[in-house]
Amino acid sequence: GLSSCDQIRPVLEKYIRDPMEVIHNALSEQPTHDVSRYNLPRYKMIIDHTNDDSITRLLQISGVLNSSHAFYKLSGIDEGAEIEKLNLVSRVKFAAQYGKKTVVLSQVEGVSECFYDQ
């Protein structure tokens, strides 16, 4: 008979999607011609919470992210550097409002809570 791994493999292949493919499909979502707000593509933002930007590098190496995406990083900024933090938040909100780019944030622990719905 078949081992349990051989029995499970077809189920996994059918129902479990490749995470890189899911991210790539989400980032390449195109607007439709329907103007209702329910059919507009959602703004995309990726927050890399790793200390070494490993998620961002993985997405770049795999071809999911490229130079058309906006990359913002806050590492090395003093805890009290409010102007730099406000500038970053403004740039991200501007990109979201005009839908020009997907934004990738890295090492932004000081401001990441600004981007979640309250």
Side-chain angles (χ1 to χ4, degrees):
L2 294 174
S3 71
S4 59
C5 289
D6 291 331
Q7 293 173 350
I8 293 173
R9 185 172 291 121
V11 173
L12 292 176
E13 289 172 355
K14 182 175 180 181
Y15 294 106
I16 304 297
R17 301 186 314 172
D18 175 25
M20 297 304 257
E21 183 180 336
V22 171
I23 294 169
H24 182 268
N25 290 342
L27 294 178
S28 61
E29 181 180 286
Q30 298 297 316
T32 64
H33 295 293
D34 185 349
V35 293
S36 74
R37 70 181 194 104
Y38 298 108
N39 289 320
L40 294 175
R42 292 181 54 110
Y43 169 72
K44 283 94 174 175
M45 179 170 43
I46 297 171
I47 301 176
D48 182 350
H49 284 288
T50 63
N51 292 330
D52 61 357
D53 303 329
S54 56
I55 298 299
T56 300
R57 284 196 318 273
L58 177 64
L59 294 173
Q60 288 173 320
I61 290 168
S62 67
V64 172
L65 295 178
N66 56 48
S67 61
S68 71
H69 301 97
F71 294 87
Y72 298 113
K73 189 172 183 174
L74 263 185
S75 69
I77 294 178
D78 295 331
E79 192 66 31
E82 295 303 315
I83 291 177
E84 288 86 352
K85 291 176 183 179
L86 288 172
N87 284 335
L88 176 90
V89 171
S90 294
R91 290 191 307 261
V92 170
K93 288 185 176 188
F94 180 84
Q97 182 177 4
Y98 292 101
K100 300 286 185 190
K101 298 180 180 185
T102 297
V103 172
V104 181
L105 301 174
S106 174
Q107 300 180 20
V108 292
E109 289 76 23
V111 297
S112 61
E113 64 275 356
C114 296
F115 306 113
Y116 296 103
D117 291 336
Q118 301 296 320

